[in-house]
Amino acid sequence: MDNLHQLLLERHSIRRYTDAPVDADDVRLILQAALLSPSSKSKRPWQFVIVENRDTLARLAECKDFGTKPIGTCAFGVVVAVDAAESDCFVEDASIAAAFMHLQAAELGLGSCWIQVRNRFAADGTPAEDIVRETLGIPENLTIECIVTVGHKDEQRRPVDPDKLLWEKVHIERWRQIE
Ligand SMILES: Cc1cc2nc3c(=O)[nH]c(=O)nc-3n(C[C@H](O)[C@H](O)[C@H](O)COP(=O)(O)O)c2cc1C
């Protein structure tokens, strides 16, 4: 797709994937998108762990009691970790990197989904971050923001109708209270 706005209209979170593997060149482009993302003061405080191993993915899917289904069928997941000591904008920096991967996947015709890890918990109350950290050996000093799952789409989502966007959230020149 060569039109960014059309991509934005068509982009969706895709949670079901086929068994087909993702081409290695596409995997590389998705990681490249993350590494190209802007960060506050260009600190680039993020780290990315790519996971393809099915047993490891199954363990990662247990990090929360709901919202992890895409991890079960994705071709691979990218765990986005970030060093809070390196930047006071660590959440923003990690989030932008994850969003860039999500958009790059969409541009390649692949499906992807953001799986929140930070501030989330497993069914027994264990922080999702602890489970992901222990499973992958991620150092204690890194915050784990999310996992971006990627794969070939096994569901179709309709493009957004631009007439249905929440324009009431846009204020012109100054705040306007909606009655
Ligand atoms: C910060 C953030 C956290 C999210 N966490 C999850 C999640 O844990 N599991 C999931 O299936 N989707 C998750 N999503 C995807 C949202 O549910 C999705 O973006 C939203 O429903 C809108 O759908 P769309 O992306 O198709 O427009 C998350 C998205 C964001 C931005």
mmCIF file of all heavy atoms in Angstrom, residues 44-49 78-83 86 142:
data_model
loop_
_atom_site.group_PDB
_atom_site.id
_atom_site.type_symbol
_atom_site.label_atom_id
_atom_site.label_comp_id
_atom_site.label_asym_id
_atom_site.label_seq_id
_atom_site.Cartn_x
_atom_site.Cartn_y
_atom_site.Cartn_z
ATOM 1 N N ARG A 44 16.438 6.320 22.540
ATOM 2 C CA ARG A 44 16.205 4.938 22.098
ATOM 3 C C ARG A 44 16.394 3.947 23.257
ATOM 4 O O ARG A 44 17.283 3.077 23.202
ATOM 5 C CB ARG A 44 17.133 4.609 20.925
ATOM 6 C CG ARG A 44 16.731 5.401 19.680
ATOM 7 C CD ARG A 44 17.675 5.245 18.545
ATOM 8 N NE ARG A 44 18.810 6.136 18.715
ATOM 9 C CZ ARG A 44 19.609 6.524 17.721
ATOM 10 N NH1 ARG A 44 19.410 6.087 16.515
ATOM 11 N NH2 ARG A 44 20.609 7.331 17.962
ATOM 12 N N PRO A 45 15.562 4.107 24.290
ATOM 13 C CA PRO A 45 15.759 3.282 25.497
ATOM 14 C C PRO A 45 15.177 1.876 25.393
ATOM 15 O O PRO A 45 15.221 1.115 26.360
ATOM 16 C CB PRO A 45 15.002 4.088 26.570
ATOM 17 C CG PRO A 45 13.894 4.758 25.816
ATOM 18 C CD PRO A 45 14.433 5.050 24.434
ATOM 19 N N TRP A 46 14.650 1.512 24.222
ATOM 20 C CA TRP A 46 13.957 0.229 24.070
ATOM 21 C C TRP A 46 14.886 -0.930 23.713
ATOM 22 O O TRP A 46 16.001 -0.738 23.239
ATOM 23 C CB TRP A 46 12.832 0.309 23.018
ATOM 24 C CG TRP A 46 12.856 1.443 22.033
ATOM 25 C CD1 TRP A 46 11.954 2.467 21.954
ATOM 26 C CD2 TRP A 46 13.790 1.686 20.950
ATOM 27 N NE1 TRP A 46 12.278 3.318 20.911
ATOM 28 C CE2 TRP A 46 13.392 2.855 20.281
ATOM 29 C CE3 TRP A 46 14.944 1.021 20.494
ATOM 30 C CZ2 TRP A 46 14.083 3.394 19.173
ATOM 31 C CZ3 TRP A 46 15.633 1.552 19.400
ATOM 32 C CH2 TRP A 46 15.188 2.711 18.767
ATOM 33 N N GLN A 47 14.330 -2.138 23.944
ATOM 34 C CA GLN A 47 14.969 -3.404 23.535
ATOM 35 C C GLN A 47 13.836 -4.285 23.023
ATOM 36 O O GLN A 47 12.701 -4.168 23.505
ATOM 37 C CB GLN A 47 15.623 -4.111 24.734
ATOM 38 C CG GLN A 47 16.649 -3.288 25.493
ATOM 39 C CD GLN A 47 18.030 -3.322 24.867
ATOM 40 O OE1 GLN A 47 18.336 -4.196 24.046
ATOM 41 N NE2 GLN A 47 18.878 -2.373 25.246
ATOM 42 N N PHE A 48 14.124 -5.141 22.064
ATOM 43 C CA PHE A 48 13.073 -5.967 21.474
ATOM 44 C C PHE A 48 13.490 -7.442 21.517
ATOM 45 O O PHE A 48 14.620 -7.761 21.146
ATOM 46 C CB PHE A 48 12.824 -5.544 20.021
ATOM 47 C CG PHE A 48 12.551 -4.062 19.904
ATOM 48 C CD1 PHE A 48 13.553 -3.182 19.510
ATOM 49 C CD2 PHE A 48 11.311 -3.548 20.241
ATOM 50 C CE1 PHE A 48 13.324 -1.811 19.440
ATOM 51 C CE2 PHE A 48 11.063 -2.180 20.169
ATOM 52 C CZ PHE A 48 12.074 -1.309 19.771
ATOM 53 N N VAL A 49 12.596 -8.282 21.985
ATOM 54 C CA VAL A 49 12.877 -9.725 21.993
ATOM 55 C C VAL A 49 11.869 -10.376 21.047
ATOM 56 O O VAL A 49 10.663 -10.308 21.283
ATOM 57 C CB VAL A 49 12.729 -10.337 23.409
ATOM 58 C CG1 VAL A 49 13.141 -11.810 23.384
ATOM 59 C CG2 VAL A 49 13.548 -9.556 24.426
ATOM 60 N N VAL A 78 6.831 -9.823 19.231
ATOM 61 C CA VAL A 78 7.968 -8.984 19.599
ATOM 62 C C VAL A 78 7.669 -8.372 20.970
ATOM 63 O O VAL A 78 6.702 -7.617 21.123
ATOM 64 C CB VAL A 78 8.227 -7.853 18.577
ATOM 65 C CG1 VAL A 78 9.472 -7.059 18.989
ATOM 66 C CG2 VAL A 78 8.393 -8.409 17.169
ATOM 67 N N VAL A 79 8.478 -8.749 21.951
ATOM 68 C CA VAL A 79 8.327 -8.202 23.291
ATOM 69 C C VAL A 79 9.085 -6.870 23.330
ATOM 70 O O VAL A 79 10.254 -6.799 22.957
ATOM 71 C CB VAL A 79 8.892 -9.186 24.339
ATOM 72 C CG1 VAL A 79 8.831 -8.581 25.735
ATOM 73 C CG2 VAL A 79 8.133 -10.505 24.268
ATOM 74 N N VAL A 80 8.357 -5.834 23.745
ATOM 75 C CA VAL A 80 8.944 -4.492 23.782
ATOM 76 C C VAL A 80 9.301 -4.177 25.236
ATOM 77 O O VAL A 80 8.410 -4.049 26.088
ATOM 78 C CB VAL A 80 7.964 -3.443 23.217
ATOM 79 C CG1 VAL A 80 8.599 -2.047 23.255
ATOM 80 C CG2 VAL A 80 7.543 -3.809 21.792
ATOM 81 N N ALA A 81 10.599 -4.079 25.506
ATOM 82 C CA ALA A 81 11.081 -3.761 26.846
ATOM 83 C C ALA A 81 11.772 -2.400 26.784
ATOM 84 O O ALA A 81 12.225 -1.978 25.714
ATOM 85 C CB ALA A 81 12.052 -4.831 27.326
ATOM 86 N N VAL A 82 11.829 -1.721 27.930
ATOM 87 C CA VAL A 82 12.365 -0.355 27.894
ATOM 88 C C VAL A 82 12.984 -0.020 29.249
ATOM 89 O O VAL A 82 12.483 -0.447 30.287
ATOM 90 C CB VAL A 82 11.234 0.635 27.489
ATOM 91 C CG1 VAL A 82 10.093 0.661 28.490
ATOM 92 C CG2 VAL A 82 11.770 2.028 27.220
ATOM 93 N N ASP A 83 14.065 0.751 29.212
ATOM 94 C CA ASP A 83 14.786 1.114 30.428
ATOM 95 C C ASP A 83 14.304 2.478 30.918
ATOM 96 O O ASP A 83 14.644 3.512 30.328
ATOM 97 C CB ASP A 83 16.292 1.127 30.131
ATOM 98 C CG ASP A 83 17.117 1.301 31.394
ATOM 99 O OD1 ASP A 83 16.544 1.686 32.437
ATOM 100 O OD2 ASP A 83 18.334 1.054 31.338
ATOM 101 N N GLU A 86 16.766 5.253 31.513
ATOM 102 C CA GLU A 86 17.380 5.909 30.358
ATOM 103 C C GLU A 86 16.574 7.086 29.854
ATOM 104 O O GLU A 86 17.112 7.979 29.195
ATOM 105 C CB GLU A 86 17.533 4.902 29.206
ATOM 106 C CG GLU A 86 18.800 4.089 29.245
ATOM 107 C CD GLU A 86 18.974 3.328 27.929
ATOM 108 O OE1 GLU A 86 19.024 3.971 26.863
ATOM 109 O OE2 GLU A 86 19.038 2.091 27.997
ATOM 110 N N LEU A 142 14.548 -3.471 33.266
ATOM 111 C CA LEU A 142 13.730 -3.122 32.098
ATOM 112 C C LEU A 142 12.248 -3.282 32.403
ATOM 113 O O LEU A 142 11.826 -4.283 32.992
ATOM 114 C CB LEU A 142 14.101 -3.987 30.894
ATOM 115 C CG LEU A 142 15.512 -3.798 30.347
ATOM 116 C CD1 LEU A 142 15.757 -4.749 29.185
ATOM 117 C CD2 LEU A 142 15.742 -2.373 29.878
#
